[in-house]
Amino acid sequence: LRRVRLGRMNPDMNTKQKGTMKTTTPHVAIETGHLRPALAALSKVVEARSPDPVLRSVKVAPAGRDKILLAGRGPDAHFTITVPGDVSPDTPPFLLPLARIRDLVRGRKTQEMVALRPDPKAPPPSEIPDMPKLGAAPVGLSEDAMNAIQNALACSSTDETRRVLNGALIEPCENGMCRTVGTDGRHLYASKPFDLDIREPLILPSLKVLTSTVVAKAKGWTLRIGRKDGDGSHRFRIDGSNWSLSAKTVDGTYPNYRQVLPPDRDFKTRIVFPEGAVADIVGAVKRMPGSRMQNRPVGLRVGKGLTILAREDEKAPFEGLGVPADVGGKASTVFLNRDYLLKALALGLYE
């Protein structure tokens, strides 16, 4: 009798052997550390639970010998991102459900490779077309412009019945400058003018993918604005170093936000927060009592300096905490919602 040892089959084997001939199963392999953040961005566009098999899938396409393009589309946007990886010979583009790729990544270490292979039951890859090129030349966005757009989107409305507020207004100013505006009807952000030459106001939709880490922390965005469609919207495209986003602007007229902004002459008191002290002020506001009160109020009292006021409830006495700030003008006290104050400080409020 001959003793034979049976080993465990490796589920990630890439070759099949028949007789003396070996054939390679088409596949791509991506390091988990590159695939995981890409999936986090794609999951904000691709609807993993959509009844449409295309809208819940990711397109995997070789983009050279050591790069893979991952693409997805949803009802409102088309997003692609390129990541480094290994590509076997003759691997065609293919679709895979987002949920399946997530399962393959779950529990893996950062440096582990994840193999993705075509699924014969998946829809054809042509169902997710290439990113629209648009005819317009790309315009580089400065860091000020990128921050202003993101800040305006952070203050936009999530109420689906107020569609024109579900995005950031980019409107032309004088001398080839623009500003962005975002509001939900309770708080409003209006940026300082920045360098961007557009001819008419546009409303960029508040797309969740713009808040993903790979997009929000990227530098060097470029913007392209296409021609107006029949529905009054424009197709636009934003590109980063390894990703692209395409969608339509929101059609409609943005409310006249200027009517709620008091003119400069009405301001009698001025507070300037030193840049290095913002973190201390944020910490102080978070520690103040009254976080369970309705509207979570805190007071700003201006006298010889700035004092933050708060109390545990309406019957308790106020507690005061002096914080570093430059003040000027008339002595005054004003109360506001601490959440909006903290958000303003996070968005760069200094005056």
Side-chain angles (χ1 to χ4, degrees):
L1 293 176
R2 185 177 180 182
R3 183 175 295 174
V4 179
R5 178 176 294 177
L6 297 178
R8 181 182 177 185
M9 179 178 290
N10 184 349
D12 287 334
M13 289 183 66
N14 300 325
T15 60
K16 296 180 180 179
Q17 185 171 348
K18 185 176 182 180
T20 59
M21 185 176 179
K22 291 183 178 180
T23 60
T24 301
T25 303
H27 75 285
V28 301
I30 305 171
E31 193 174 282
T32 301
H34 296 301
L35 184 54
R36 188 171 281 131
L39 288 179
L42 283 161
S43 66
K44 296 182 181 296
V45 175
V46 179
E47 299 179 346
R49 297 183 180 180
S50 171
D52 187 331
V54 175
L55 296 183
R56 63 172 182 259
S57 295
V58 173
K59 182 178 180 179
V60 182
R65 299 185 64 179
D66 57 357
K67 291 183 179 180
I68 295 105
L69 178 77
L70 303 174
R73 68 180 179 91
D76 303 316
H78 185 174
F79 181 75
T80 66
I81 184 168
T82 303
V83 295
D86 299 328
V87 183
S88 69
D90 302 321
T91 299
F94 57 92
L95 299 190
L96 278 181
L98 173 64
R100 185 182 304 176
I101 303 177
R102 282 175 173 168
D103 289 341
L104 292 172
V105 171
R106 188 174 292 113
R108 290 183 182 258
K109 296 180 180 179
T110 301
Q111 295 181 344
E112 282 190 75
M113 301 296 287
V114 179
L116 306 178
R117 298 182 177 84
D119 180 354
K121 297 181 180 180
S126 58
E127 291 290 336
I128 299 182
D130 294 337
M131 179 67 63
K133 296 185 181 299
L134 302 184
V139 177
L141 297 179
S142 65
E143 187 171 349
D144 287 342
M146 292 188 295
N147 289 338
I149 291 172
Q150 290 174 319
N151 290 351
L153 290 172
C155 297
S156 63
S157 175
T158 57
D159 184 350
E160 295 181 358
T161 65
R162 310 179 72 183
R163 183 158 174 75
V164 293
L165 298 184
N166 295 165
L169 171 69
I170 304 180
E171 65 171 3
C173 303
E174 61 285 341
N175 302 322
M177 307 287 278
C178 283
R179 71 162 48 90
T180 60
V181 179
T183 183
D184 62 357
R186 294 183 297 274
H187 69 317
L188 182 146
Y189 171 88
S191 74
K192 289 188 174 182
F194 55 83
D195 230 355
L196 182 62
D197 189 8
I198 62 173
R199 297 183 179 180
E200 59 180 297
L202 301 169
I203 304 174
L204 295 186
S206 183
L207 300 171
K208 292 181 180 180
V209 68
L210 290 171
T211 65
S212 64
T213 302
V214 293
V215 173
K217 292 189 176 181
K219 304 296 182 183
W221 290 10
T222 61
L223 174 66
R224 307 173 198 229
I225 304 293
R227 295 180 179 178
K228 184 177 289 189
D229 291 341
D231 61 1
S233 65
H234 295 259
R235 171 70 61 176
F236 72 90
R237 175 172 164 175
I238 300 176
D239 293 281
S241 59
N242 68 327
W243 56 266
S244 296
L245 169 67
S246 178
K248 282 188 173 184
T249 60
V250 179
D251 179 35
T253 302
Y254 204 80
N256 181 14
Y257 67 92
R258 291 183 181 84
Q259 66 184 1
V260 301
L261 297 178
D264 290 345
R265 65 177 179 273
D266 288 356
F267 292 103
K268 307 300 182 183
T269 306
R270 184 168 178 261
I271 303 172
V272 178
F273 298 102
E275 183 176 352
V278 169
D280 293 334
I281 296 171
V282 168
V285 172
K286 289 182 177 180
R287 291 192 302 269
M288 297 300 287
S291 60
R292 296 183 179 180
M293 291 182 64
Q294 185 178 5
N295 297 322
R296 294 164 53 84
V298 292
L300 301 179
R301 175 188 289 169
V302 174
K304 294 182 179 180
L306 176 63
T307 302
I308 298 179
L309 302 174
R311 56 183 177 177
E312 191 62 45
D313 54 54
E314 293 183 356
K315 297 181 180 180
F318 282 103
E319 298 180 23
L321 179 64
V323 295
D326 297 325
V327 300
K330 184 180 179 180
S332 180
T333 300
V334 62
F335 284 85
L336 63 160
N337 184 300
R338 71 185 67 195
D339 295 326
Y340 290 142
L341 175 60
L342 291 171
K343 186 172 185 177
L345 291 169
L347 297 182
L349 172 72
Y350 66 90
E351 181 177 357

